[in-house]
Amino acid sequence: MYRHKTIVIAGAGVFGTAMAERLSWNTTNTVILWSIEEDVVEDINKNHRNTKYFPTHFLNTSIRATTDKQIFSNADAIMLVIPSKAIVSFTEEIRPLTKEDCMVINLAKGMSDDGAFITEQIPFPRTASMKGPTFAIEVLHGLPSSFTFGGKREDYLTLKENILKDTGLYLDYTSDIRSVELMSILKNMYAIAIGLVSGRFNSPNVDFLIYTKAVAEMRRFLSLFGCTTETIFCYCGIGDLGLTSLNDLSRNRTLGLLMGKGFSIDNSGTSATVIEGSRTVKLMGEMTRNKGVEEEFPLVQALYRLMYEGETLNDYMAAVFA
């Protein structure tokens, strides 16, 4: 018989709060948000709101919040929704507090500082990855939303049939965790690539020309990393790429749009405009060169030359349509 589950969400920002709201729809879940932001924690507990991130929305009154890391000792499942760069050190800190069989799911989209897959660096025996085409505001407002679950099949079934029951959140599945992590890293980069041509041409024909090239390159990256190529057809693959690259709510697409319209972007690492996709362009551009396979990834190389080697926007356009 299924027993009550305690889910602790690490991170009470936009997406963590949205996930807490949806998980609370299942009354067999106890949902707790952990945050370093004391004002956010107080607001959630006293007012059932997270005014800092969602000024007009009231949260389910069953959701609690805390700044106390001891809460992780109660967790049957932990969802990681803190910045990707902080996850490895954070999980090392909470590991001694957690149950041995606690399921730890990485929802953060990105990579650790050295470019490694986060799920291979966090110190838990039962890990998973969950990514998909999900904007936080739509998750919060209750719209049907989807993820790919990468991990053990029994954990996928536990999540799908029990924890996500009655939440309107839907899963597809792969056992290849690394492929789910990789898709979430690459889609930001290709959203910039597609945003660039959208900014220049404002044309569905052109968008989908580059979108199709991006899908092909993402599939080649899966092979390059030794992952199953079928993951490209999951929610975390073409689904998340479509959401991120073709919708103006996406920061990475917006970065590409601005560049496509001729705005200068600072990639020195000191500017707020250097976001996740920019880091990925540098990492993947250099990696494909070092492996001698740059000709197989023309979009990545065109982006790298534009953003890090001073080529012009016209050079970029010529390269991606070749």
Side-chain angles (χ1 to χ4, degrees):
M1 184 176 179
Y2 178 70
R3 66 179 181 84
H4 202 91
K5 295 287 187 185
T6 298
I7 298 98
V8 179
I9 299 174
V14 173
F15 203 77
T17 302
M19 286 298 296
E21 176 70 13
R22 292 298 283 273
L23 291 172
S24 71
W25 291 11
N26 181 346
T27 57
T28 67
N29 294 331
T30 295
V31 182
I32 302 165
L33 280 160
W34 176 88
S35 175
I36 61 172
E37 298 180 282
E38 293 182 3
D39 57 332
V40 168
V41 168
E42 183 178 7
D43 196 17
I44 292 170
N45 290 334
K46 287 187 175 181
N47 306 315
H48 308 298
R49 299 177 69 179
N50 189 340
T51 309
K52 185 172 185 177
Y53 297 103
F54 295 110
T56 62
H57 192 90
F58 282 92
L59 301 173
N60 191 306
T61 57
S62 68
I63 298 169
R64 293 189 292 117
T66 183
T67 60
D68 186 358
K69 288 190 175 76
Q70 287 295 327
I71 196 64
F72 292 102
S73 64
N74 299 328
D76 297 301
I78 296 170
M79 293 188 171
L80 300 171
V81 203
I82 61 176
S84 56
K85 293 190 293 182
I87 284 179
V88 175
S89 60
F90 175 79
T91 53
E92 288 172 349
E93 187 176 350
I94 67 169
R95 177 66 182 96
L97 304 174
T98 60
K99 299 176 183 178
E100 190 62 32
D101 64 345
C102 180
M103 177 166 50
V104 180
I105 308 170
N106 179 31
L107 276 76
K109 297 179 178 180
M111 65 193 111
S112 62
D113 267 339
D114 60 358
F117 292 118
I118 291 170
T119 50
E120 294 180 340
Q121 294 188 305
I122 57 179
F124 294 92
R126 190 181 175 195
T127 59
S129 181
M130 201 166 92
K131 327 282 188 186
T134 49
F135 283 135
I137 189 65
E138 299 202 352
V139 172
L140 184 80
H141 287 163
L143 291 164
S145 301
S146 59
F147 299 87
T148 298
F149 183 92
K152 296 177 181 176
R153 188 164 186 84
E154 55 266 35
D155 290 339
Y156 157 71
L157 293 173
T158 294
L159 198 72
K160 179 181 178 181
E161 297 174 2
N162 298 310
I163 294 174
L164 297 188
K165 184 180 179 182
D166 300 325
T167 65
L169 300 176
Y170 301 96
L171 299 179
D172 59 15
Y173 172 73
T174 176
S175 61
D176 188 354
I177 302 177
R178 296 173 79 249
S179 69
V180 179
E181 290 286 297
L182 181 60
M183 292 293 92
S184 76
I185 294 167
L186 296 178
K187 57 96 180 182
N188 289 322
M189 173 174 68
Y190 287 110
I192 298 173
I194 294 166
L196 274 157
V197 297
S198 295
R200 170 62 70 90
F201 295 100
N202 190 29
S203 161
N205 283 13
V206 177
D207 284 352
F208 279 94
L209 187 162
I210 304 302
Y211 181 90
T212 306
K213 286 175 175 279
V215 169
E217 283 195 19
M218 289 174 72
R219 196 174 187 188
R220 286 196 286 273
F221 266 118
L222 285 165
S223 293
L224 189 65
F225 277 85
C227 299
T228 174
T229 58
E230 292 301 299
T231 306
I232 191 66
F233 301 113
C234 293
Y235 291 133
C236 69
I238 56 175
D240 207 2
L241 175 64
L243 181 90
T244 308
S245 65
L246 300 171
N247 191 297
D248 290 347
L249 287 174
S250 162
R251 292 188 308 145
N252 288 280
R253 171 178 167 81
T254 300
L255 178 62
L257 284 170
L258 291 170
M259 294 168 65
K261 293 181 183 297
F263 286 88
S264 177
I265 303 297
D266 177 9
N267 287 302
S268 65
T270 60
S271 169
T273 58
V274 182
I275 57 177
E276 197 68 51
S278 301
R279 298 173 65 226
T280 308
V281 170
K282 191 171 192 302
L283 177 73
M284 296 303 172
E286 292 173 355
M287 187 199 73
T288 51
R289 288 185 182 186
N290 291 338
K291 290 182 176 291
V293 294
E294 62 267 32
E295 291 185 2
E296 298 178 32
F297 299 92
L299 291 185
V300 174
Q301 288 302 316
L303 269 176
Y304 185 84
R305 293 192 300 270
L306 174 68
M307 298 176 74
Y308 294 100
E309 294 185 337
E311 282 203 350
T312 68
L313 190 57
N314 286 338
D315 292 330
Y316 173 83
M317 296 301 166
V320 298
F321 294 125

